[in-house]
């Protein structure tokens, strides 16, 4: 289930405060030096740095 556009506009990366973009079942940080990928579980974004996947 995709996130609502209004919700995505107000969410930011907890680590660097850059905007997030929706990709598959994750929210990807758009910050150049960050790039963390946060999971979305049951339609709820899990914005915890400890739960984020590091960039490849």
């Amino acid at each position: 289930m995709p996130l609502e556009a209004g919700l995505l506009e107000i969410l930011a990366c907890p680590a660097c405060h850059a905007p997030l973009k929706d990709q598959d079942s994750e929210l990807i940080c758009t910050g150049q030096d960050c790039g963390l990928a946060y999971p979305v579980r049951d339609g709820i974004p899990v914005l915890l740095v400890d739960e984020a996947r590091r960039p490849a």
Side-chain angles (χ1 to χ4, degrees), residues 5-37:
L7 178 61
L8 193 55
E9 288 178 12
I10 63 171
L11 292 178
C13 175
C16 71
H17 309 292
L20 298 169
K21 66 178 179 179
D22 192 8
Q23 187 176 41
D24 299 325
S25 62
E26 294 181 317
L27 294 177
I28 310 294
C29 176
T30 59
Q32 296 226 350
D33 296 331
C34 186
L36 292 174

Side-chain angles (χ1 to χ4, degrees), residues 1 3 25 39-46:
M1 171 190 316
L3 295 175
S25 62
V40 177
R41 296 186 186 129
D42 297 324
I44 301 169
V46 181

